[in-house]
Amino acid sequence: MADITRRLGWRHLRGAPTAHIRHHRGGTLLHDGPGLSFWFRALTAALSEVPVDDRELAMTFHARTSDFQDVAVQATVTYRIGDPALAAARLDFSIDPDTGVWRGAPLEQLGTLLTETAQQHALDVLARTPLSVALVDGVAAVRERVAAGLDAEPRLPATGIEVVAVRVMALRPEPEVERALRTPAREQIQQEADRATYERRAVAVERERAIAENELDSKIELARREEQLVDQRGTNARREAEEHAAADAVRAEAEATRSVRLARAEADGVRAVGDAKAQAQAAWLKVHAEVDVATLHALTGTRLAENLPNIDSVTISPDVLTGLLAKLGTREPE
C-alpha cells in the first residue's frame, strides 16, 4: 500500500521499491515505475499500484482418484507480475488518492485464476490415477502437471503474470482411509520392533550364556589348578618327609658310627689300661718274687702302714714281741 500524505490541496505519494506506480492525469501517463515519489492533485489523478515482488499463493482443494477415493491436495504457487502495465490494464489495481488503498481486490482475482487453473490440471491427473499410486508418486505427477498447465495457460501471460515455481506438499486421503492404510504399515513396523526386541533378548541371553560358560570354565580351571596345587603340596610334603627321614638316617648312622668308635676307643683304652695294669702287676709280682720273705713282710707292713689311720700310740705285749724276735732270730742268712 502506497504512503500518501496531505498538504493543503496537494497529495504526496511515496511508493515501495516492490510496487509499480502508474499515475495518469487526463488520460496522460505522468509517472510510471517502481519506488516513485511525487506530488499530485487528488481530484485529477488516477493512480494504480501493481506489486512486482514474488508472492506465495497457498491452495488446498479436494480431488477424486480413479478408484473413487477422495484426497486433499496441498500446494503452493509462487508467481510475480512481470508486466505491470498489462496487469493494470486487465485488472483493477487502482488506489484511493487519499488513503492509498486498493479500491478493488486484484490479488484475490489473481489467486482465483491461479487456483482454478492449478486445480483443473490436478483433478485431471488424479482422476486417472488410483489411490495407491497417487500416494506414492502423486506428488511429483501433480506438481509436473500443474506446472506444465500453468505455463501453457494463455490467460496468465495475457494478464502479465509469470509463474515462478509450483510446489505440492502433500496428498492426503480421508482420515478413515488413511487409518486403514496405516494399519498394515504399523503392524509391519510393530512386527519389526518385536523382532528387534526378540533379537536383542536372544543376543542378551546368548551373551549371558557365554558369560556363564566363561565363569564355569574359570571355576573348572581354578578347581583344576587347586587340584594341581594340592598334588604339588603333597609331593612337596612327601619329598620333605623323605628328605627329613634321609637326614635322620644319616644323622642316626653318624651317631651309631660315632658311638661305635667311642665304644671301640673306650674298649681300646680299657684294654690298654688292663694290659698296662697286667704288665705292671706282672712286673710287680716278678719283682716281689725275687725278694725274700722278710723284705716282703716289711713292704707289706709299710703298705699297710700307709693305708692305716693315724695311730698315736701302740702297745706291744711281751708275747707279741717275743714271737717277733723269735722270727727275726730264725731268719736264714743269704
Side-chain angles (χ1 to χ4, degrees):
M1 184 176 65
D3 184 14
I4 297 176
T5 58
R6 299 180 182 183
R7 293 293 185 273
L8 298 176
W10 291 85
R11 305 288 186 272
H12 184 270
L13 182 145
R14 182 175 58 189
T18 58
H20 189 96
I21 304 298
R22 292 174 63 83
H23 175 209
H24 291 81
R25 185 178 62 187
T28 302
L29 181 62
L30 299 180
H31 298 92
D32 185 17
L36 298 180
S37 179
F38 54 87
W39 291 92
F40 66 93
R41 295 184 65 87
L43 295 178
T44 60
L47 301 175
S48 297
E49 183 182 16
V50 182
V52 293
D53 56 339
D54 290 350
R55 292 182 171 264
E56 303 286 341
L57 176 61
M59 58 185 72
T60 300
F61 53 89
H62 291 270
R64 178 170 294 182
T65 61
S66 61
D67 49 359
F68 305 102
Q69 298 296 326
D70 290 337
V71 292
V73 182
Q74 296 178 357
T76 300
V77 176
T78 303
Y79 70 96
R80 72 166 67 98
I81 299 176
D83 192 344
L86 183 58
R90 299 295 299 271
L91 299 174
D92 184 12
F93 284 96
S94 63
I95 60 176
D96 189 289
D98 292 328
T99 61
V101 178
W102 279 318
R103 292 176 174 175
L107 295 182
E108 294 182 3
Q109 296 178 2
L110 287 179
T112 301
L113 175 60
L114 291 171
T115 301
E116 291 179 351
T117 303
Q119 184 175 358
Q120 177 183 357
H121 295 287
L123 293 175
D124 184 55
V125 68
L126 289 175
R128 292 189 292 269
T129 306
L131 178 62
S132 58
V133 178
L135 294 178
V136 176
D137 301 325
V139 171
V142 171
R143 182 181 62 250
E144 293 175 357
R145 182 62 179 273
V146 170
L150 291 176
D151 290 339
E153 178 61 36
R155 294 179 57 190
L156 297 180
T159 314
I161 299 174
E162 298 178 359
V163 176
V164 178
V166 176
R167 298 186 302 276
V168 178
M169 277 69 72
L171 289 175
R172 299 180 64 90
E174 293 181 346
E176 295 80 4
V177 177
E178 187 174 3
R179 283 194 296 269
L181 294 175
R182 286 179 179 178
T183 300
R186 287 182 177 178
E187 291 179 353
Q188 183 177 2
I189 293 173
Q190 186 64 38
Q191 292 176 0
E192 294 294 333
D194 294 341
R195 185 180 299 109
T197 301
Y198 296 151
E199 290 178 356
R200 286 196 299 270
R201 290 179 180 176
V203 171
V205 171
E206 181 66 23
R207 289 180 179 176
E208 291 179 357
R209 185 186 64 80
I211 293 173
E213 289 182 354
N214 292 333
E215 292 179 353
L216 182 60
D217 293 341
S218 299
K219 291 180 179 179
I220 293 174
E221 181 65 20
L222 181 60
R224 187 179 63 81
R225 292 187 178 182
E226 288 180 353
E227 183 180 0
Q228 292 178 354
L229 180 60
V230 171
D231 294 340
Q232 187 63 37
R233 286 179 178 175
T235 302
N236 294 338
R238 288 193 299 270
R239 184 178 300 171
E240 186 177 359
E242 291 174 356
E243 291 179 355
H244 284 309
D248 293 340
V250 172
R251 186 163 47 253
E253 184 179 359
E255 290 290 336
T257 303
R258 188 172 64 83
S259 299
V260 171
R261 289 180 180 178
L262 288 176
R264 288 179 180 177
E266 290 179 357
D268 292 341
V270 171
R271 190 180 298 109
V273 171
D275 292 342
K277 287 182 178 182
Q279 291 177 3
Q281 189 69 27
W284 185 80
L285 292 175
K286 184 179 181 181
V287 172
H288 284 77
E290 296 176 355
V291 178
D292 56 2
V293 175
T295 304
L296 291 174
H297 288 169
L299 290 173
T300 302
T302 303
R303 183 67 56 86
L304 180 62
E306 291 177 355
N307 295 323
L308 289 175
N310 294 330
I311 300 174
D312 294 335
S313 63
V314 178
T315 301
I316 301 174
S317 66
D319 295 335
V320 175
L321 183 60
T322 300
L324 291 174
L325 291 176
K327 290 180 179 180
L328 290 174
T330 60
R331 181 178 177 185
E332 295 181 356
E334 295 178 0

